[in-house]
Amino acid sequence: MAGRNCADIVFCIDASGSMKPCFDAVRRNIADLMIGLQADGQTSWDVRYDFLAFQDNEEGVHGYTSTRLAGVSLINAIYQGKDRDKLFTRNTEELCTALQTRVEIEGDEQQLTALDTAMDFPWRSSGDCHRVVVLLTDEPVETGVFVEKQKAAIDRMIQKAQNKRIKLFIIAPESEAFFELSALDRCEYTDLQNTQDGMRSVDFSKLLQTIGKSVSVSQNYSGGEEEPSPCFGQDEWGGCSDATFTGS
């Protein structure tokens, strides 16, 4: 089913060490959100899901994991097309199980680089399908690594999201970088007031309703940028060894 009730949704999830106290709650909230979309008896949904769990360090080592892929394999699927069919799933249990068993919580965070990578997932045509990215993190960009490099790319990321017709939800603490990114006209920024409570302060039911509305409103747009357009040179990472990444 195209257009009105068709969506691709990527959860871009901070998996750094500071998330350890609240990651189980994040998993549960994501599961509830997905089940809520499926349980809508009023509408027949065609929704695909995936996640990009991320962790980084000061040496520039990236730990990226999705439902079925990780590390270099994930990067090559996004930017080289190898095993691209392993990205996105309609099986909510598969995604939730992968969040439970495949993601290690450690390291630091580089949120905008991960977000930029999430925006390069192989979406269905923007004329037929709503594209949604949900970023969840308990830290502002300014406390992570490679801050200035990330902030320098914000204007390009905004243009990229507009070109790709991506609806962006940011769930994060107050951050100048996130505030700048929220200038995107298809962005909703939820400023977390408390990051120490397992994100219980986040009204995920409201988020679900907002996402539901975004994928149930007809869109009359066709065209737009379809090919990956990395802002941080991610298309060159595939030549690295698996040791450059965490995950398998």
Side-chain angles (χ1 to χ4, degrees), residues 121-138:
F121 268 59
W123 310 98
R124 286 177 285 183
S125 170
S126 61
D128 300 325
C129 180
H130 297 272
R131 299 166 170 185
V132 178
V133 176
V134 183
L135 172 65
L136 298 113
T137 179
D138 67 335

Side-chain angles (χ1 to χ4, degrees), residues 27 51 67 92-103:
R27 289 187 183 108
F51 67 83
T67 303
T92 58
E93 183 177 352
E94 178 185 25
L95 185 144
C96 292
T97 299
L99 275 172
Q100 182 70 40
T101 61
R102 288 173 53 81
V103 180

Side-chain angles (χ1 to χ4, degrees), residues 149-163:
K149 178 182 178 180
Q150 292 185 85
K151 293 176 74 171
I154 288 176
D155 287 344
R156 288 182 60 200
M157 291 180 66
I158 290 173
Q159 186 62 56
K160 173 177 173 175
Q162 290 174 338
N163 290 344

Side-chain angles (χ1 to χ4, degrees), residues 14 25 59 72 80 82 87 98 105 151 160 187 198-199 232 243:
D14 184 349
E59 284 71 46
V72 173
Q80 308 301 329
K82 184 178 180 180
L87 297 173
I105 314 301
K151 293 176 74 171
K160 173 177 173 175
C187 177
M199 293 191 177
F232 300 94

Side-chain angles (χ1 to χ4, degrees), residues 219-230:
Q219 59 182 37
N220 299 312
Y221 178 84
S222 62
E225 184 180 324
E226 300 298 330
E227 293 301 316
S229 54

